[in-house]
Amino acid sequence: MDRVEQYSRLMINQIIKYFGKEIEKVQGNVICIQDERTIAQLFNNSDDADVRYSYLFQLLGNECSILALHLCVAAYIFPEFYEALRKITGRGVTYKLACEICGAAGGESLPPSETGEAFRRLVHIVRVEKERTNFLYSELYCDSRLVEYLRGEDSLSVSLKGMVYEGSCKRELYGVEKETAQLEKLIARAMDRNDALRFVQVAGEKGSGRRSIVLAAARRSDTRVIYVDYGLCRQRKEKTEELIGEAVREALLYDGFVCLHNIEYEDLKKEDFSGIFCMLHRLTDTFGIPVIICTLQDVQLSAVVDELILKINLDMRAFEKREALWRGLSLEHGVGLDTAAYASKYSLLPGQVVKIWEIAGYDIEPGMKSTELEKVLSNAAADVIELPDKGTIIKHKTSQSLSDLMLPDDAAGTLRMICAYARERYKVFSRWGMDRKYPYGKGMAALFVGGPGTGKTMAAGCIANELGLLLYKVDLSQIVDKYIGETEKKLEQVFTYAQKSNVVLFFDEADALFGKRSEVKDSKDKYANTEVSYILQRIEQYDGMVILATNLVKNMDEAFLRRMKYMVEFPMPDEKIRYRIWKNSFPASVPVKEIDFEFLAGRVELAGGHIKNIILNAAFIAAGRDEAVGMGAILYAVKNEYYKLGRTLGRDFFGRYWDEVINIMES
C-alpha cells in the first residue's frame, strides 16, 4: 500500500463514519472501515508523497479544499467508493459535500464570501466534470496525472506530449552570462507573489537560444520551467486553452513558471496578443504563476498590450557572443581554434553553430591539422544552412582555389585582397576599433567586369571555396517583377536569407537589376528609379559579402560603382594566359596524346569558359572512339564551339592538323 492509498483509506474511514448506515445500504460490504492504527503505523517513516501533499495543502489554504482534494483522490483510486458516493449524493465529489463533512467533524468552515475564491484555487489542481450554476454542486474529480504526481512520478501526461515539455539542455551556454543573470533576477521577482511583475519577454531570432537561456536562468534560481509550444496548441483550436491550462498546472505543481514560445505568426495582430494575454490571466491569476514569452526581436509586447512586461533582447549575432560560443564549443571538443576568425567568418546563430559541431564531431580527430579541421567544419556548415527560395546554393566539394584562375597579376591580387578582407574584418573593425569610426558599410561588395566566359562566376566560386563558405547564386528571373514594389520585397528576402545563412551573395548579369537611373518622364521611370535607390541602400546596409558580375559595366549606375569596395576586370586572355589555361585543364588521369598547346593558344582566341567547353567535348569524342584525347578531337570541338558563336572555320585555321579533323568528322 503506497502513501497515496494510505491517505485515501483514512479518508474513506471518515466518510463511512459521516454517512453511517446510509453508506452501508449501498456499498454491499465492498467498502469497510480499515484499522486506523494499522494505517497510522505506516506513516511513521516520511515519504516524498508527504512533501507533495503538504505543498498542495499550503496552496489550497483551508480544510474544506484539502478535504475535497482527498475525496477526489480516494474516488479515483477506489472506484467502488466513487459509486457509493454517487448513489448517496447523486453527484459524487462536490465542494458542498466537502464543506458539510468538514463542518460536521468540527473543522474550519469558510464564510460564503470566501468559498468562490477557495473553489477557484481548488480547480487549478483537480478538475470539474460537470459545471453547474451553483459551483458548490459541480462535480469534482482527480485525473491520473495528479495521482502520478502525488506518487512521485514526474512524467507529463500523454495528451501534452510534443506540445508541452520540460526543459532539457545538453550543454553549457556561452556568451550570454549577462542576459542569463538578468533573466534570473526577473524570474525571482516574478516568483514573488507580492511583486507586480508577472510577464517577461525574451526576444531574439529563431535559433538564438531563447529557450536555452530561460532554462539556464531557471536552473540558476532552482526553479522549474514548463515550456508550451503555442504554435502546436493553436492548431487544436478548441483545445488551446485547455492544453495551456494543463501546462500551467504542471508549473503550479512544482512551484515553477511557464515559458510560452512559437507564437511567431505573421497573422498575429494586436488583437491576437490581447487575446493571448486574456487567456493567460484566466489561467495564471489565481496563484500568480509567472509567464515568460519568447518572441522575435521586432515584437513589442509592451506597445500592444496593457501589461507590465520587462524585455530581454538576445542579440546573438554580436561578434563577442559569436566568439565566446566558438571558444566554448572548441574547448568542449578539445581542439584549438582561432575563435575570433571563425566568429568573423560564420555570422550564424547559436543553434546553427551547435549543429555544426555536432555534425563535425564525428570527423574531428585528436591532433588534426588546422586546414583539415577547417574543411570538416566548413562541410558541416554547408549542411546546416537552409536552402533559399530564390536562387541556388553552390556547394564546392573540390579543392578549386584562386590559384586555379588564369588571370593577370592585378586581377589575381585584387581577388586575394577580397579574401583578406573577409578573413581579417574582425581584426580591423573589432580589435583595432575601426568600427567606432566606420559603423556602417562594413560589408564587402565587389564588382566583376568582363565578357562571357572570362571566369567571373568561377572566381566567385573560388572565393567562396577559399573562405569555406557557400555561394548563393541569385536567379534574377525570380526577382525582377513587373508589379510595383514586388522586386524590392523579393530582394529583401534574398538579403535577409544571405545575412542569416552566412553565404557569399552572387548576382550574375547584374546590369539587369542594377542599371542606371533614368530621367523621370512618366510614372514607370519614377518607380524604376525608386527600385534602384532601394537596392543601393540595401547593399550599403548589408553586412556580408556580395559579388556582382556584369558584361556591360557601362550600363551600371555610377552610385553602385561608388559602393563597390573592389572592382576586378576579367579581360579576354592573351596568348600567354590561354597557353596556361590549355596546359592546366587536363587532369593527370585523362589519357592524352601529342597535344600542341602552343598551336591551340595561338589559334583559338577564346575565353576560358569556351576553352572549358572545348576540352569537355573533346574528352567525350575521344571516349566514344575509345582513344586518348588528341588534336583531332580537340580541334573538332573547337570547330563546333566557333559555330555556336556564329563563325565558320576553314582549312587554313586548322593548318597541319586538318587531316586529323577530317578523320574525326568522317568516322
Side-chain angles (χ1 to χ4, degrees), residues 79-134:
E80 62 274 17
F81 170 62
Y82 171 72
E83 291 300 326
L85 276 182
R86 282 188 59 81
K87 290 178 181 178
I88 296 173
T89 66
R91 294 193 184 91
V93 180
T94 65
Y95 201 67
K96 176 69 172 176
L97 175 63
C99 290
E100 289 176 350
I101 295 174
C102 188
E108 177 187 0
S109 60
L110 282 172
S113 60
E114 297 181 14
T115 54
E117 175 62 24
F119 181 81
R120 283 191 292 273
R121 297 175 73 85
L122 177 64
V123 295
H124 272 73
I125 299 172
V126 300
R127 299 304 188 206
V128 181
E129 178 80 22
K130 296 176 183 177
E131 291 195 54
R132 298 176 179 272
T133 304
N134 189 335

Short mmCIF file of all heavy atoms in Angstrom, two decimals, residues 79-134:
data_model
loop_
_atom_site.label_atom_id
_atom_site.label_comp_id
_atom_site.label_asym_id
_atom_site.label_seq_id
_atom_site.Cartn_x
_atom_site.Cartn_y
_atom_site.Cartn_z
N PRO A 79 -12.74 3.00 -7.20
CA PRO A 79 -13.96 3.27 -7.96
C PRO A 79 -15.23 2.87 -7.23
O PRO A 79 -16.27 3.51 -7.38
CB PRO A 79 -13.77 2.42 -9.23
CG PRO A 79 -12.29 2.24 -9.36
CD PRO A 79 -11.78 2.18 -7.96
N GLU A 80 -15.14 1.82 -6.40
CA GLU A 80 -16.33 1.40 -5.65
C GLU A 80 -16.76 2.47 -4.64
O GLU A 80 -17.95 2.65 -4.38
CB GLU A 80 -16.06 0.07 -4.93
CG GLU A 80 -14.95 0.09 -3.89
CD GLU A 80 -13.58 -0.15 -4.47
OE1 GLU A 80 -13.40 -0.02 -5.70
OE2 GLU A 80 -12.66 -0.47 -3.69
N PHE A 81 -15.77 3.20 -4.11
CA PHE A 81 -16.10 4.30 -3.20
C PHE A 81 -16.81 5.42 -3.96
O PHE A 81 -17.78 6.00 -3.47
CB PHE A 81 -14.80 4.81 -2.56
CG PHE A 81 -14.96 6.09 -1.78
CD1 PHE A 81 -15.80 6.16 -0.67
CD2 PHE A 81 -14.29 7.24 -2.16
CE1 PHE A 81 -15.95 7.35 0.03
CE2 PHE A 81 -14.44 8.43 -1.47
CZ PHE A 81 -15.27 8.49 -0.37
N TYR A 82 -16.31 5.71 -5.18
CA TYR A 82 -16.95 6.74 -6.00
C TYR A 82 -18.40 6.36 -6.31
O TYR A 82 -19.31 7.21 -6.23
CB TYR A 82 -16.17 6.91 -7.30
CG TYR A 82 -16.85 7.79 -8.32
CD1 TYR A 82 -16.92 9.16 -8.13
CD2 TYR A 82 -17.44 7.24 -9.46
CE1 TYR A 82 -17.56 9.98 -9.05
CE2 TYR A 82 -18.07 8.05 -10.39
CZ TYR A 82 -18.13 9.41 -10.18
OH TYR A 82 -18.77 10.21 -11.09
N GLU A 83 -18.64 5.12 -6.66
CA GLU A 83 -20.01 4.69 -6.98
C GLU A 83 -20.92 4.81 -5.76
O GLU A 83 -22.10 5.18 -5.86
CB GLU A 83 -20.00 3.25 -7.49
CG GLU A 83 -19.37 3.09 -8.86
CD GLU A 83 -20.09 3.90 -9.92
OE1 GLU A 83 -21.33 4.05 -9.83
OE2 GLU A 83 -19.41 4.42 -10.84
N ALA A 84 -20.37 4.48 -4.59
CA ALA A 84 -21.17 4.60 -3.36
C ALA A 84 -21.56 6.06 -3.11
O ALA A 84 -22.70 6.36 -2.73
CB ALA A 84 -20.38 4.04 -2.17
N LEU A 85 -20.62 6.98 -3.32
CA LEU A 85 -20.93 8.41 -3.14
C LEU A 85 -22.02 8.86 -4.10
O LEU A 85 -22.93 9.60 -3.73
CB LEU A 85 -19.67 9.25 -3.39
CG LEU A 85 -18.68 9.43 -2.24
CD1 LEU A 85 -17.55 10.34 -2.67
CD2 LEU A 85 -19.37 10.01 -1.01
N ARG A 86 -21.94 8.41 -5.34
CA ARG A 86 -22.95 8.81 -6.34
C ARG A 86 -24.34 8.31 -5.94
O ARG A 86 -25.34 9.01 -6.13
CB ARG A 86 -22.58 8.27 -7.72
CG ARG A 86 -21.49 9.07 -8.40
CD ARG A 86 -21.31 8.62 -9.83
NE ARG A 86 -22.55 8.77 -10.60
CZ ARG A 86 -22.97 9.91 -11.13
NH1 ARG A 86 -22.25 11.01 -10.99
NH2 ARG A 86 -24.10 9.95 -11.82
N LYS A 87 -24.41 7.12 -5.40
CA LYS A 87 -25.71 6.57 -5.01
C LYS A 87 -26.31 7.35 -3.85
O LYS A 87 -27.53 7.53 -3.76
CB LYS A 87 -25.57 5.10 -4.64
CG LYS A 87 -25.29 4.20 -5.84
CD LYS A 87 -25.12 2.76 -5.41
CE LYS A 87 -24.82 1.87 -6.63
NZ LYS A 87 -24.62 0.46 -6.24
N ILE A 88 -25.44 7.83 -2.95
CA ILE A 88 -25.94 8.55 -1.77
C ILE A 88 -26.24 10.01 -2.11
O ILE A 88 -27.30 10.54 -1.75
CB ILE A 88 -24.90 8.48 -0.63
CG1 ILE A 88 -24.71 7.03 -0.18
CG2 ILE A 88 -25.33 9.35 0.55
CD1 ILE A 88 -23.60 6.84 0.82
N THR A 89 -25.29 10.67 -2.79
CA THR A 89 -25.43 12.12 -3.03
C THR A 89 -26.00 12.46 -4.40
O THR A 89 -26.50 13.57 -4.60
CB THR A 89 -24.05 12.82 -2.90
OG1 THR A 89 -23.20 12.35 -3.95
CG2 THR A 89 -23.41 12.49 -1.57
N GLY A 90 -25.88 11.53 -5.33
CA GLY A 90 -26.35 11.79 -6.69
C GLY A 90 -25.34 12.53 -7.54
O GLY A 90 -25.58 12.77 -8.72
N ARG A 91 -24.19 12.90 -6.96
CA ARG A 91 -23.24 13.70 -7.73
C ARG A 91 -21.78 13.27 -7.55
O ARG A 91 -20.93 13.80 -8.22
CB ARG A 91 -23.34 15.18 -7.33
CG ARG A 91 -24.66 15.83 -7.70
CD ARG A 91 -24.53 17.34 -7.56
NE ARG A 91 -25.82 17.98 -7.82
CZ ARG A 91 -26.73 18.25 -6.90
NH1 ARG A 91 -26.49 17.93 -5.64
NH2 ARG A 91 -27.88 18.83 -7.22
N GLY A 92 -21.44 12.44 -6.71
CA GLY A 92 -20.04 12.12 -6.45
C GLY A 92 -19.43 13.19 -5.55
O GLY A 92 -20.07 13.69 -4.62
N VAL A 93 -18.18 13.63 -5.86
CA VAL A 93 -17.47 14.60 -5.02
C VAL A 93 -17.87 16.01 -5.45
O VAL A 93 -17.78 16.37 -6.62
CB VAL A 93 -15.95 14.43 -5.14
CG1 VAL A 93 -15.23 15.47 -4.28
CG2 VAL A 93 -15.52 13.02 -4.75
N THR A 94 -18.30 16.83 -4.49
CA THR A 94 -18.59 18.24 -4.73
C THR A 94 -17.98 19.06 -3.60
O THR A 94 -17.65 18.54 -2.52
CB THR A 94 -20.09 18.52 -4.79
OG1 THR A 94 -20.66 18.24 -3.49
CG2 THR A 94 -20.77 17.68 -5.86
N TYR A 95 -17.83 20.35 -3.85
CA TYR A 95 -17.29 21.22 -2.81
C TYR A 95 -18.29 21.35 -1.66
O TYR A 95 -17.89 21.46 -0.50
CB TYR A 95 -16.97 22.59 -3.40
CG TYR A 95 -15.97 23.36 -2.57
CD1 TYR A 95 -14.65 22.93 -2.47
CD2 TYR A 95 -16.33 24.52 -1.88
CE1 TYR A 95 -13.73 23.62 -1.72
CE2 TYR A 95 -15.41 25.22 -1.11
CZ TYR A 95 -14.10 24.75 -1.03
OH TYR A 95 -13.19 25.43 -0.27
N LYS A 96 -19.57 21.30 -2.00
CA LYS A 96 -20.61 21.35 -0.96
C LYS A 96 -20.47 20.18 0.00
O LYS A 96 -20.55 20.36 1.23
CB LYS A 96 -21.98 21.33 -1.64
CG LYS A 96 -23.17 21.29 -0.68
CD LYS A 96 -23.33 22.60 0.06
CE LYS A 96 -24.63 22.62 0.86
NZ LYS A 96 -24.76 23.84 1.68
N LEU A 97 -20.25 18.98 -0.56
CA LEU A 97 -20.08 17.80 0.28
C LEU A 97 -18.87 17.95 1.19
O LEU A 97 -18.94 17.64 2.39
CB LEU A 97 -19.93 16.56 -0.61
CG LEU A 97 -19.62 15.24 0.11
CD1 LEU A 97 -20.77 14.86 1.04
CD2 LEU A 97 -19.35 14.12 -0.89
N ALA A 98 -17.75 18.44 0.66
CA ALA A 98 -16.54 18.60 1.46
C ALA A 98 -16.77 19.58 2.61
O ALA A 98 -16.34 19.34 3.74
CB ALA A 98 -15.39 19.09 0.58
N CYS A 99 -17.50 20.68 2.33
CA CYS A 99 -17.77 21.66 3.39
C CYS A 99 -18.67 21.08 4.47
O CYS A 99 -18.48 21.34 5.67
CB CYS A 99 -18.42 22.90 2.77
SG CYS A 99 -17.29 23.89 1.75
N GLU A 100 -19.66 20.30 4.06
CA GLU A 100 -20.58 19.70 5.04
C GLU A 100 -19.87 18.71 5.94
O GLU A 100 -20.07 18.70 7.17
CB GLU A 100 -21.73 19.01 4.31
CG GLU A 100 -22.70 19.98 3.65
CD GLU A 100 -23.77 19.26 2.84
OE1 GLU A 100 -23.64 18.03 2.66
OE2 GLU A 100 -24.73 19.92 2.39
N ILE A 101 -19.02 17.85 5.34
CA ILE A 101 -18.29 16.86 6.14
C ILE A 101 -17.33 17.56 7.08
O ILE A 101 -17.19 17.19 8.25
CB ILE A 101 -17.54 15.89 5.21
CG1 ILE A 101 -18.53 15.07 4.38
CG2 ILE A 101 -16.64 14.96 6.01
CD1 ILE A 101 -17.88 14.19 3.34
N CYS A 102 -16.67 18.59 6.56
CA CYS A 102 -15.71 19.33 7.39
C CYS A 102 -16.42 19.99 8.57
O CYS A 102 -15.93 19.96 9.71
CB CYS A 102 -15.00 20.37 6.54
SG CYS A 102 -13.62 21.20 7.36
N GLY A 103 -17.59 20.57 8.31
CA GLY A 103 -18.35 21.22 9.38
C GLY A 103 -18.83 20.22 10.42
O GLY A 103 -18.80 20.49 11.63
N ALA A 104 -19.30 19.06 9.94
CA ALA A 104 -19.80 18.03 10.86
C ALA A 104 -18.70 17.48 11.74
O ALA A 104 -18.95 17.06 12.88
CB ALA A 104 -20.45 16.90 10.06
N ALA A 105 -17.48 17.50 11.23
CA ALA A 105 -16.36 16.97 12.01
C ALA A 105 -15.75 18.04 12.91
O ALA A 105 -14.73 17.80 13.56
CB ALA A 105 -15.30 16.42 11.07
N GLY A 106 -16.36 19.22 12.92
CA GLY A 106 -15.86 20.29 13.77
C GLY A 106 -14.69 21.03 13.18
O GLY A 106 -13.95 21.72 13.89
N GLY A 107 -14.52 20.88 11.85
CA GLY A 107 -13.41 21.55 11.20
C GLY A 107 -13.70 23.01 10.93
O GLY A 107 -14.78 23.54 11.22
N GLU A 108 -12.71 23.67 10.31
CA GLU A 108 -12.83 25.09 9.99
C GLU A 108 -13.83 25.27 8.85
O GLU A 108 -13.76 24.61 7.83
CB GLU A 108 -11.46 25.62 9.56
CG GLU A 108 -11.48 27.07 9.13
CD GLU A 108 -10.15 27.51 8.57
OE1 GLU A 108 -9.22 26.67 8.53
OE2 GLU A 108 -10.04 28.68 8.14
N SER A 109 -14.78 26.14 9.02
CA SER A 109 -15.76 26.41 7.97
C SER A 109 -15.42 27.74 7.30
O SER A 109 -14.88 28.65 7.92
CB SER A 109 -17.18 26.47 8.56
OG SER A 109 -17.26 27.50 9.52
N LEU A 110 -15.74 27.84 6.02
CA LEU A 110 -15.46 29.05 5.25
C LEU A 110 -16.67 29.95 5.22
O LEU A 110 -17.80 29.49 5.03
CB LEU A 110 -15.08 28.69 3.81
CG LEU A 110 -13.66 28.16 3.56
CD1 LEU A 110 -13.56 27.69 2.12
CD2 LEU A 110 -12.63 29.23 3.84
N PRO A 111 -16.47 31.26 5.38
CA PRO A 111 -17.59 32.18 5.17
C PRO A 111 -17.99 32.17 3.70
O PRO A 111 -17.15 31.95 2.83
CB PRO A 111 -17.03 33.54 5.59
CG PRO A 111 -15.54 33.40 5.48
CD PRO A 111 -15.24 31.97 5.78
N PRO A 112 -19.25 32.38 3.39
CA PRO A 112 -19.72 32.33 1.99
C PRO A 112 -18.92 33.22 1.05
O PRO A 112 -18.73 32.88 -0.12
CB PRO A 112 -21.18 32.79 2.10
CG PRO A 112 -21.57 32.45 3.50
CD PRO A 112 -20.34 32.65 4.33
N SER A 113 -18.43 34.35 1.53
CA SER A 113 -17.70 35.28 0.66
C SER A 113 -16.36 34.73 0.19
O SER A 113 -15.78 35.22 -0.77
CB SER A 113 -17.47 36.61 1.39
OG SER A 113 -16.70 36.39 2.58
N GLU A 114 -15.86 33.69 0.87
CA GLU A 114 -14.55 33.15 0.53
C GLU A 114 -14.62 31.83 -0.21
O GLU A 114 -13.60 31.33 -0.70
CB GLU A 114 -13.70 32.97 1.80
CG GLU A 114 -13.40 34.28 2.51
CD GLU A 114 -12.55 34.08 3.75
OE1 GLU A 114 -11.98 32.98 3.90
OE2 GLU A 114 -12.45 35.01 4.57
N THR A 115 -15.81 31.26 -0.29
CA THR A 115 -15.90 29.94 -0.92
C THR A 115 -15.58 29.99 -2.42
O THR A 115 -15.01 29.05 -2.97
CB THR A 115 -17.31 29.34 -0.71
OG1 THR A 115 -18.29 30.29 -1.18
CG2 THR A 115 -17.54 29.03 0.75
N GLY A 116 -15.99 31.08 -3.07
CA GLY A 116 -15.72 31.19 -4.50
C GLY A 116 -14.24 31.18 -4.81
O GLY A 116 -13.77 30.48 -5.71
N GLU A 117 -13.46 31.98 -4.07
CA GLU A 117 -12.02 32.04 -4.27
C GLU A 117 -11.38 30.69 -3.94
O GLU A 117 -10.49 30.22 -4.66
CB GLU A 117 -11.42 33.13 -3.39
CG GLU A 117 -9.89 33.22 -3.43
CD GLU A 117 -9.35 33.54 -4.82
OE1 GLU A 117 -10.10 34.12 -5.64
OE2 GLU A 117 -8.18 33.20 -5.07
N ALA A 118 -11.85 30.05 -2.85
CA ALA A 118 -11.30 28.75 -2.47
C ALA A 118 -11.58 27.71 -3.56
O ALA A 118 -10.72 26.88 -3.87
CB ALA A 118 -11.91 28.30 -1.15
N PHE A 119 -12.77 27.78 -4.15
CA PHE A 119 -13.12 26.85 -5.22
C PHE A 119 -12.22 27.07 -6.43
O PHE A 119 -11.75 26.12 -7.05
CB PHE A 119 -14.59 27.03 -5.59
CG PHE A 119 -15.06 26.10 -6.67
CD1 PHE A 119 -15.40 24.79 -6.38
CD2 PHE A 119 -15.14 26.53 -8.00
CE1 PHE A 119 -15.83 23.93 -7.38
CE2 PHE A 119 -15.57 25.68 -9.00
CZ PHE A 119 -15.91 24.38 -8.69
N ARG A 120 -11.97 28.32 -6.79
CA ARG A 120 -11.11 28.60 -7.94
C ARG A 120 -9.69 28.08 -7.73
O ARG A 120 -9.04 27.62 -8.66
CB ARG A 120 -11.08 30.11 -8.22
CG ARG A 120 -12.33 30.63 -8.93
CD ARG A 120 -12.16 32.05 -9.41
NE ARG A 120 -12.06 33.00 -8.31
CZ ARG A 120 -13.11 33.57 -7.73
NH1 ARG A 120 -14.34 33.28 -8.14
NH2 ARG A 120 -12.94 34.41 -6.73
N ARG A 121 -9.20 28.17 -6.52
CA ARG A 121 -7.88 27.63 -6.22
C ARG A 121 -7.88 26.11 -6.34
O ARG A 121 -6.94 25.52 -6.87
CB ARG A 121 -7.43 28.05 -4.81
CG ARG A 121 -7.27 29.55 -4.65
CD ARG A 121 -6.94 29.92 -3.20
NE ARG A 121 -5.57 29.57 -2.85
CZ ARG A 121 -4.51 30.33 -3.08
NH1 ARG A 121 -4.66 31.50 -3.69
NH2 ARG A 121 -3.31 29.95 -2.72
N LEU A 122 -8.94 25.49 -5.89
CA LEU A 122 -9.03 24.04 -5.92
C LEU A 122 -9.03 23.51 -7.35
O LEU A 122 -8.35 22.53 -7.66
CB LEU A 122 -10.28 23.58 -5.17
CG LEU A 122 -10.55 22.06 -5.18
CD1 LEU A 122 -9.43 21.32 -4.45
CD2 LEU A 122 -11.91 21.75 -4.54
N VAL A 123 -9.82 24.14 -8.23
CA VAL A 123 -9.95 23.60 -9.59
C VAL A 123 -8.73 23.88 -10.46
O VAL A 123 -8.71 23.50 -11.63
CB VAL A 123 -11.24 24.13 -10.27
CG1 VAL A 123 -12.47 23.62 -9.56
CG2 VAL A 123 -11.22 25.64 -10.36
N HIS A 124 -7.71 24.55 -9.92
CA HIS A 124 -6.43 24.61 -10.61
C HIS A 124 -5.64 23.33 -10.38
O HIS A 124 -4.65 23.07 -11.08
CB HIS A 124 -5.60 25.80 -10.11
CG HIS A 124 -5.88 27.07 -10.86
ND1 HIS A 124 -7.05 27.78 -10.69
CD2 HIS A 124 -5.16 27.75 -11.79
CE1 HIS A 124 -7.02 28.86 -11.48
NE2 HIS A 124 -5.89 28.86 -12.16
N ILE A 125 -6.08 22.53 -9.40
CA ILE A 125 -5.38 21.29 -9.06
C ILE A 125 -6.21 20.07 -9.46
O ILE A 125 -5.72 19.16 -10.12
CB ILE A 125 -5.06 21.25 -7.56
CG1 ILE A 125 -4.14 22.43 -7.21
CG2 ILE A 125 -4.41 19.92 -7.18
CD1 ILE A 125 -3.90 22.62 -5.74
N VAL A 126 -7.48 20.05 -9.08
CA VAL A 126 -8.38 18.98 -9.51
C VAL A 126 -9.19 19.49 -10.70
O VAL A 126 -9.00 20.62 -11.16
CB VAL A 126 -9.31 18.53 -8.36
CG1 VAL A 126 -8.48 18.01 -7.20
CG2 VAL A 126 -10.21 19.66 -7.90
N ARG A 127 -10.08 18.66 -11.22
CA ARG A 127 -10.85 19.02 -12.40
C ARG A 127 -12.34 19.11 -12.10
O ARG A 127 -12.81 18.54 -11.11
CB ARG A 127 -10.62 17.99 -13.51
CG ARG A 127 -9.17 17.88 -13.97
CD ARG A 127 -8.65 19.22 -14.42
NE ARG A 127 -7.34 19.14 -15.04
CZ ARG A 127 -6.49 20.12 -15.07
NH1 ARG A 127 -6.78 21.28 -14.48
NH2 ARG A 127 -5.32 20.00 -15.67
N VAL A 128 -13.05 19.85 -12.95
CA VAL A 128 -14.50 19.97 -12.83
C VAL A 128 -15.13 19.13 -13.94
O VAL A 128 -14.91 19.40 -15.13
CB VAL A 128 -14.96 21.44 -12.95
CG1 VAL A 128 -16.47 21.54 -12.81
CG2 VAL A 128 -14.28 22.28 -11.89
N GLU A 129 -15.91 18.14 -13.58
CA GLU A 129 -16.55 17.25 -14.56
C GLU A 129 -17.78 17.91 -15.16
O GLU A 129 -17.96 17.98 -16.36
CB GLU A 129 -16.94 15.93 -13.89
CG GLU A 129 -17.66 14.95 -14.78
CD GLU A 129 -16.71 14.19 -15.68
OE1 GLU A 129 -15.52 14.11 -15.33
OE2 GLU A 129 -17.16 13.70 -16.72
N LYS A 130 -18.68 18.38 -14.28
CA LYS A 130 -19.93 18.99 -14.74
C LYS A 130 -20.13 20.30 -13.97
O LYS A 130 -20.40 20.28 -12.78
CB LYS A 130 -21.11 18.06 -14.49
CG LYS A 130 -21.05 16.76 -15.28
CD LYS A 130 -22.21 15.84 -14.90
CE LYS A 130 -22.10 14.50 -15.64
NZ LYS A 130 -23.19 13.58 -15.22
N GLU A 131 -19.97 21.40 -14.67
CA GLU A 131 -20.15 22.69 -14.02
C GLU A 131 -21.65 23.01 -13.92
O GLU A 131 -22.41 22.77 -14.84
CB GLU A 131 -19.42 23.79 -14.81
CG GLU A 131 -17.91 23.65 -14.73
CD GLU A 131 -17.21 24.90 -15.19
OE1 GLU A 131 -17.52 25.97 -14.64
OE2 GLU A 131 -16.36 24.79 -16.08
N ARG A 132 -22.03 23.56 -12.80
CA ARG A 132 -23.42 23.93 -12.57
C ARG A 132 -23.50 25.43 -12.26
O ARG A 132 -22.50 26.07 -12.03
CB ARG A 132 -24.02 23.12 -11.41
CG ARG A 132 -24.03 21.62 -11.71
CD ARG A 132 -24.53 20.82 -10.52
NE ARG A 132 -24.54 19.38 -10.83
CZ ARG A 132 -25.56 18.77 -11.39
NH1 ARG A 132 -26.66 19.45 -11.70
NH2 ARG A 132 -25.52 17.47 -11.65
N THR A 133 -24.72 25.96 -12.27
CA THR A 133 -24.90 27.37 -11.97
C THR A 133 -24.34 27.71 -10.61
O THR A 133 -23.67 28.72 -10.41
CB THR A 133 -26.40 27.74 -12.04
OG1 THR A 133 -26.91 27.38 -13.31
CG2 THR A 133 -26.59 29.23 -11.81
N ASN A 134 -24.58 26.83 -9.65
CA ASN A 134 -24.01 26.97 -8.32
C ASN A 134 -22.76 26.10 -8.26
O ASN A 134 -22.86 24.87 -8.28
CB ASN A 134 -25.03 26.54 -7.25
CG ASN A 134 -24.55 26.88 -5.85
OD1 ASN A 134 -23.35 26.98 -5.60
ND2 ASN A 134 -25.49 27.05 -4.94
#
